[in-house]
Structure formats: structure tokens, C-alpha cells
Amino acid sequence: MGESLTESRTEPALPAPDGQRDTQPRRAAGAPDSRGPIGAPGPGEEHEAVMLLDRARAEVDPVLRAALDSLPGPMRRIARYHFGWEQADGSPAEGGSGKAIRPALVLAAADAVGGPDARKGAVRAAAAVELIHNFTLLHDDVMDRDATRRHRPTAWTVFGDADAILAGDALQALALRLLAQDAHPAAPRAAALLAGCVVELCTGQHADTALERRGPGEVTLEEVLVMAEAKTGALLGSACAIGGLYAGAGEADVAALDAFGREAGLAFQLIDDVIGVWGDPRRTGKPVGADLAARKKSLPVVAAFVSGTPAGAELAELYARPTEKEDVEHIARTVERAGGRDWAQSQAADRMALAMGRLARAVPDPEAAGGLLALAEFVTRRSS
């Protein structure tokens, strides 16, 4: 693989004197020009990751389609629309159903620990993880009032809040049914792990919504990082851990895989928050600055709040005002001037360095770990 994130983009954050993570905003030495594009993987790295994602999608999609086809008509229609397989009127569509990052992690982890046979046996579990992910997306879109996902209107804007929520509930039930009907000996433990993950996801989402009711000066960077790990890192960690379970990994290795996924997931969320403010909507499928317009306390924003800079103080004042459409670009520039963007990119590199260390404990052979590393680098060096 190519050079690591810490070599190519930013220096990792230094440990604090008391041994705690240094999460204070600061400009990273060697950080990319904040006006330029968000760092992306090199052609070779991206090609390897895209191949892994395409392979995972090809393996998992038949299981997903069969699961969705088992739903009653109204739920099936909403779910298939959400996945991009149907138009709102029920006619076929060719839209994308996401990058398949989480099922790809399940399969790559199984392959890394147990080889091709373990990977083949984990396909149903990978589909279950993808169903859980999409259950959360349906619910999050309702709660966040996001109107666009994957370059099309979100399900709640087409079918209404209640139907979108119910379709999400149905996807969660399908995920657990897939595991309950799986004859693999690891299925019961995977089901318990995934159920625990859902509780953590809900806890993280609850914390996220609670943060929105608090003022800029009432939110700490540490609690936002904890919330982000629960909302994003938990499912990526569970995906890797479940792949390890299906490969017969021991408890210590399963825990290390989970830790790898969590750190990579937090790096993913940091970059996702950067893209949410500065990404190209033609690539992301979402309007630029939507989080700022909604006054979301994303990681770069909170880093700017606590930066102790004049720009951070200005940002807090801007967040206290009603949203004006033309304000979004000004707010984004203010976050950047306060160091929020540079901090998020530096922290993402730091988390990826930690993730690689965790992975080395479970899969010490770099060649065997190559698929997991390629996926982790891809999702933390993307621009959409």
C-alpha cells in the first residue's frame, strides 16, 4: 500500500502530559492547505479499496435484496427506494445503495483472520450489518431533517416521517432475523454484539440531539468525540469484530478488531464532518453547509468553539443567530479561521495511526491485514 496518513497529510496529535489524548485544536505541522481539496487516496490505494467495496457489494446485495423482498408491500417499497433500487412510484431505479463500507469491513476482517472460507461464511452477517447501518440512516434523516441522501430525496420527504421510521424499524428486524436464521456457530454471539451496538448507536444519537439544545460554550470537545465514537465508531468496530467472530478469532483478537474499527470510525466521522462543511455537493449528494445551516455541533465546529481564538468567539455569536442562507459560507470560513478544519484533519490522522496499531495486534501479518488497511485509508482520505 501507499504511504500512511500520518506521513502524507498531517502529524498526529502528541499525547498530553497526563497520558490522555491531546484533543485541543491546533494547526498541524504540514497540514494541507485548508483551501484545497480534502485529502484523497492515491490512485493505487483507491483502486484497491474500490475493488474491495465492489466485491463486497456483489456478495452482499443478493442477500439484501432477498431480505427486503420478504417485507410486506408498503415496507418493501420504502426500503427499496431508500436503497436506490426503486423510484418513488415503484418503478426500477439504478441509483447507488451506498459504498458498502461496513459489510466490506466484515468480510475483510473474516478474510484477514480466517481466509477465503471464513469470508464466504460471513456474507449473511455482513448483510445484517448493512441493514443496521441503513436503519440508522432512515431514522437519522428524520431526526436531522436531511432532505437529500445519495443524490435523491430522503425517504421521509417522499413517504413521510412515520413510514420512514417504520421502514427503519423493519430493517433492524431483518438484520436480527438474518443472524437468527444463520447456522454459523458464531451467529448467536454476532447477534448479541450487534444488538449491543444498536443500543450504543441510540445512546450516541441521543447525545447528539441533546448537544443541539446546548449553547456553544456549554459543549466540550471530549464529549463530542465520545458521542461520535458511539454514533459512528461503534458500528465500524462491530463490523470488524463480527468478521473476526466468523473467522474463529479469540476474545483478545476480536477486541483488537473492534478497537481498530472504532478508531477508524472516529477518523471517518472527522473527515465526514469536514466534507459536510467543505465538500463538493456534486460528489457528496448533499447540499453544502447543511450542518452549519442547522447549527449542528460537528467536530470541526466544536474544535473552533474551544480554540480560544477571536474567530472561535465570532463563530459562537454566529451560531446564536437565526440562519441566513448567505451566512453559511461565512460561517464555514470562520470555522476554518478558528482552526476547526485543520484540527479535524490532524485528529483523523492521529486516530488512523491508533487504528493501525490496534489492527497489528489482531493481524500481525501486514499482507493479511492489507484489505482492512486499504478500506480504512480509503474512508479517511475521501472527498465524498
Side-chain angles (χ1 to χ4, degrees):
M1 293 184 60
E3 57 191 358
S4 73
L5 276 171
T6 51
E7 293 168 335
S8 61
R9 295 177 57 232
T10 57
E11 288 184 354
L14 298 174
D18 62 358
Q20 299 297 313
R21 300 295 318 154
D22 174 14
T23 57
Q24 292 305 305
R26 58 183 177 79
R27 185 173 183 85
D33 183 345
S34 59
R35 294 169 297 173
I38 296 163
E45 294 167 337
E46 183 170 12
H47 179 67
E48 181 181 0
V50 169
M51 286 181 62
L52 291 167
L53 293 170
D54 287 346
R55 181 184 175 190
R57 178 60 69 200
E59 291 170 307
V60 169
D61 265 6
V63 181
L64 290 174
R65 288 180 179 271
L68 265 59
D69 285 347
S70 72
L71 291 172
M75 290 297 97
R76 180 171 65 248
R77 179 180 172 187
I78 300 165
R80 289 179 64 85
Y81 172 84
H82 168 75
F83 271 85
W85 298 336
E86 285 186 3
Q87 305 289 1
D89 62 4
S91 59
E94 296 182 359
S97 53
K99 293 183 176 68
I101 291 166
R102 291 152 190 84
L105 286 171
V106 175
L107 298 175
D111 202 348
V113 176
D117 288 342
R119 178 190 180 95
K120 183 178 179 181
V123 170
R124 287 176 67 88
V129 168
E130 183 72 343
L131 286 167
I132 291 295
H133 173 54
N134 281 276
F135 135 69
T136 68
L137 295 182
L138 281 161
H139 284 202
D140 284 359
D141 285 344
V142 173
M143 287 183 275
D144 296 340
R145 310 316 286 172
D146 284 337
T148 306
R149 181 174 295 280
R150 298 167 184 163
H151 305 277
R152 67 199 314 224
T154 46
W156 71 267
T157 67
V158 176
F159 301 100
D161 290 2
D163 283 356
I165 292 169
L166 291 169
D169 293 340
L171 294 188
Q172 182 184 183
L174 287 180
L176 295 178
R177 187 170 73 183
L178 275 179
L179 293 175
Q181 294 176 342
D182 191 353
H184 195 284
R189 291 179 64 200
L193 191 156
L194 200 54
C197 177
V198 169
V199 173
E200 189 171 358
L201 292 170
C202 293
T203 302
Q205 180 65 12
H206 176 268
D208 190 22
T209 56
L211 288 173
E212 301 313 305
R213 297 191 292 270
R214 291 157 58 184
E218 300 171 343
V219 179
T220 69
L221 196 51
E222 186 61 34
E223 66 183 326
V224 180
L225 284 165
V226 170
M227 176 272 293
E229 180 180 340
K231 277 194 62 175
T232 304
L235 188 54
L236 268 70
S238 293
C240 297
I242 287 171
L245 286 175
Y246 271 70
E251 292 294 335
D253 288 345
V254 170
L257 287 166
D258 183 85
F260 160 75
R262 283 175 179 270
E263 295 290 357
L266 189 47
F268 174 97
Q269 186 61 56
L270 284 154
I271 296 304
D272 199 61
D273 284 353
V274 170
I275 291 169
V277 177
W278 294 282
D280 183 347
R282 292 170 298 180
R283 294 182 59 115
T284 64
K286 291 185 176 184
V288 68
D291 285 353
L292 297 180
R295 299 299 193 261
K296 295 284 289 183
K297 296 180 181 69
S298 65
L299 286 158
V301 167
V302 176
F305 284 154
V306 303
S307 65
T309 63
E314 179 185 349
L315 179 65
E317 293 180 5
L318 290 169
Y319 253 57
R321 300 174 187 172
T323 306
E324 297 287 345
K325 186 175 182 181
E326 59 271 17
D327 284 350
V328 171
E329 288 188 7
H330 177 59
I331 294 173
R333 289 194 297 271
T334 306
V335 175
E336 193 164 346
R337 285 191 290 111
R341 182 175 185 173
D342 286 340
W343 173 85
Q345 292 177 314
S346 175
Q347 187 72 192
D350 189 29
R351 295 291 174 165
M352 269 302 300
L354 286 171
M356 292 175 182
R358 304 290 190 268
L359 180 59
R361 298 179 186 178
V363 191
D365 180 2
E367 185 174 349
L372 286 169
L373 289 172
L375 290 169
E377 291 244 354
F378 175 77
V379 301
T380 55
R381 298 179 66 185
R382 64 206 172 92
S383 57
S384 66

